[in-house]
Amino acid sequence: MKSNTMFYIPKPSPNDPDELGHFGKFGGRFVPETLMPALEQLRLDYEAVRFDPDFWGEVDYYYKHYVGRPSALYYAANISQEIGAKVYLKREDLNHTGAHKINHAVAQAVLAKRLGKKKIIAETGAGQHGVATATVAALFGLECEVFMGAKDVMRQELNVFRMKLLGAKVHPVESGSKTLKDAMNEAIRHWVTNARDTYYLIGTVAGPHPYPMMVRDIQSIIGWEAKLQLQEAEGCLPDKVIACIGGGSNAIGIFNHFLEDKSVECIGIEAGGEGLGCKHGCSLEKGTPGILHGQLTYLLQDEDGQIQEAHSISAGLDYPGIGPEHAYLKDTQQVTYNHITDTDALDAFVWLSQKEGIIPAFESAHAIAYLKKMKSEDIKNKIILVNLSGRGDKDMMQAKEILKDQF
């Protein structure tokens, strides 16, 4: 099942964590003792295949023939003309299941099969990771259970139905804020007692080591492809690379192959929600270091260390933490981080739809909104690469209700 042509294999990164999984002071493993053997075994199992052409050749087969990779690099002529920059969209929205999540779902499912696991569990927020996990479970004949906050179950009911149709069991989580944080809590609790035959397919670059490194490695196919595609289209590197950030997988996926290029500014966009003085999801901009879900990272927490509820119109961005590598990239100033409000994201959602005939996911609309708001003198004649991490099908019912007076 190997491809006969060149395919993606991760490469060591200058930002690789140490042997304990730390990116600087961030990351690590802060988990119940009962999970340590499973995590250490997973680290060893992943390191055995990390640079293995046989493993990545099998993954590549599914990428090409099932997912539809490489995803297109699209020159957005209409918005380029309007803002005065050359804008290219990396079309992860065209992947099977509609987002970048299928990339790490496929690769981790191939690994799970190799490890002899019979069951897969996952957490999900917007539902795209849950759908991707249910999809690969169906493909590889694995049992699948997905934990999803009850609030997200309500606002992403189409994705819930998709997961059930694909054969997955969906557990609505009623505790806490009933969103992604709580879904991940429940998934970890389940894994503690079922690690022997169950693979936990984490959906972002967060969690205990080796997940942040492993998911980063897998999702870096986005930047690897985009760099080659842009060299072919323009013969040069982009000036800026923009991506939205929840846990941070799509962003680190497109940033990773540009971080060593000092002429390229990578820009990550958090969920500004109703504003930084109100409800938001800006853990990098407004958070402080703390421990959540097995990692040390920036968190939205009060002075007593109690996790505060994140807010975003987008279910995929309302996580009160961030992947530890993003925390490290912030502190080392390798990446620029900013935020976009719900209102501006909605405006960009409509703008891209009507300018390019491309309906973005609410998450991706945050990156588009930042592009739209950049000062003309800062981007004039620049080449800007935006990761369009997902399509807006999943957000149609929510958008229809919010925008009912506009259309």
Side-chain angles (χ1 to χ4, degrees):
M1 286 193 283
K2 295 181 211 174
S3 169
N4 292 321
T5 57
M6 180 179 69
F7 53 82
Y8 170 74
I9 301 177
K11 64 180 181 67
S13 167
N15 291 322
D16 273 353
D18 63 21
E19 64 276 6
L20 298 178
H22 292 103
F23 301 87
K25 69 179 181 181
F26 300 104
R29 284 185 194 148
F30 299 88
V31 296
E33 192 63 32
T34 50
L35 268 185
M36 290 298 284
L39 285 167
E40 180 60 15
Q41 187 59 52
L42 178 60
R43 180 187 70 82
L44 294 172
D45 291 333
Y46 177 63
E47 287 185 356
V49 301
R50 188 182 180 196
F51 308 118
D52 178 16
D54 288 337
F55 174 78
W56 292 101
E58 183 175 356
V59 172
D60 182 71
Y61 171 84
Y62 292 104
Y63 279 172
K64 283 185 168 64
H65 301 289
Y66 190 71
V67 175
R69 303 207 71 89
S71 63
L73 184 73
Y74 170 68
Y75 173 58
N78 295 332
I79 62 175
S80 294
Q81 183 176 15
E82 180 171 327
I83 69 173
K86 278 191 169 182
V87 178
Y88 284 87
L89 305 178
K90 183 58 172 164
R91 299 290 307 278
E92 292 299 293
D93 61 311
L94 295 179
N95 292 339
H96 179 45
T97 73
H100 68 291
K101 298 293 188 181
I102 193 68
N103 300 331
H104 61 238
V106 164
Q108 289 190 72
V110 170
L111 178 59
K113 285 283 285 186
R114 286 190 170 212
L115 300 179
K117 303 297 185 182
K118 305 298 182 185
K119 301 176 183 177
I120 286 182
I121 62 169
E123 85 296 328
T124 195
Q128 287 302 110
H129 172 61
V131 168
T133 302
T135 297
V136 296
L139 175 65
F140 292 115
L142 301 167
E143 292 182 40
C144 180
E145 296 188 41
V146 179
F147 296 84
M148 188 174 190
K151 180 179 177 181
D152 294 336
V153 168
M154 293 292 293
R155 61 180 172 176
Q156 294 292 340
E157 61 180 278
L158 286 179
N159 270 345
V160 174
F161 177 73
R162 291 169 76 189
M163 286 182 264
K164 292 178 178 178
L165 179 62
L166 288 160
K169 183 176 181 179
V170 180
H171 298 279
V173 177
E174 298 286 350
S175 59
S177 61
K178 304 180 183 181
T179 57
L180 180 57
K181 167 182 69 73
D182 313 289
M184 197 165 185
N185 287 339
E186 288 301 316
I188 291 173
R189 288 191 190 101
H190 182 89
W191 194 37
V192 167
T193 56
N194 295 276
R196 180 179 297 180
D197 66 349
T198 299
Y199 183 93
Y200 182 13
L201 205 159
I202 285 183
T204 190
V205 286
H209 183 60
Y211 284 105
M213 178 184 73
M214 180 168 63
V215 177
R216 185 275 310 274
D217 283 354
I218 297 166
Q219 288 294 353
S220 292
I221 190 172
I222 302 172
W224 180 77
E225 285 180 1
K227 198 169 191 177
L228 293 173
Q229 290 168 322
L230 200 54
Q231 285 284 355
E232 183 177 346
E234 294 285 346
C236 64
L237 295 168
D239 295 292
K240 300 178 188 295
V241 181
I242 306 173
C244 65
I245 293 185
S249 61
N250 94 88
I252 206 71
I254 200 165
F255 293 165
N256 193 39
H257 280 274
F258 293 102
L259 290 175
E260 294 181 76
D261 300 308
K262 301 307 179 186
S263 65
V264 180
E265 182 185 16
C266 293
I267 306 170
I269 305 302
E270 295 188 289
E274 297 174 5
L276 296 188
C278 303
K279 299 177 181 178
H280 60 82
C282 296
S283 54
L284 285 171
E285 194 161 351
K286 300 294 287 185
T288 53
I291 294 171
L292 178 68
H293 299 144
Q295 64 190 338
L296 173 65
T297 189
Y298 279 103
L299 305 174
L300 295 177
Q301 56 186 335
D302 64 22
E303 57 188 23
D304 296 319
Q306 296 300 305
I307 303 301
Q308 296 178 316
E309 183 177 350
H311 166 79
S312 174
I313 191 175
S314 162
L317 300 185
D318 62 357
Y319 182 59
I322 190 73
E325 187 170 359
H326 282 294
Y328 174 73
L329 293 172
K330 174 186 183 293
D331 275 13
T332 56
Q333 299 182 331
Q334 295 182 60
V335 173
T336 301
Y337 293 97
N338 212 312
H339 68 277
I340 281 293
T341 65
D342 289 346
T343 300
D344 287 334
L346 273 171
D347 178 61
F349 175 81
V350 175
W351 183 61
L352 187 66
S353 298
Q354 297 190 348
K355 281 289 183 177
E356 296 288 350
I358 298 171
I359 303 174
F362 279 172
E363 291 82 0
S364 308
H366 284 70
I368 296 296
Y370 186 78
L371 168 74
K372 189 172 186 284
K373 290 190 72 175
M374 293 179 81
K375 295 178 180 178
S376 57
E377 59 266 28
D378 292 338
I379 60 174
K380 186 174 177 61
N381 298 324
K382 301 288 188 182
I383 296 174
I384 303 176
L385 173 63
V386 181
N387 198 24
L388 203 68
S389 57
R391 62 178 176 251
D393 303 32
K394 68 180 179 62
D395 298 313
M396 284 299 97
M397 294 180 70
Q398 192 180 356
K400 181 174 178 289
E401 179 62 26
I402 294 170
L403 299 171
K404 61 185 177 184
D405 294 331
Q406 190 170 336
F407 298 102

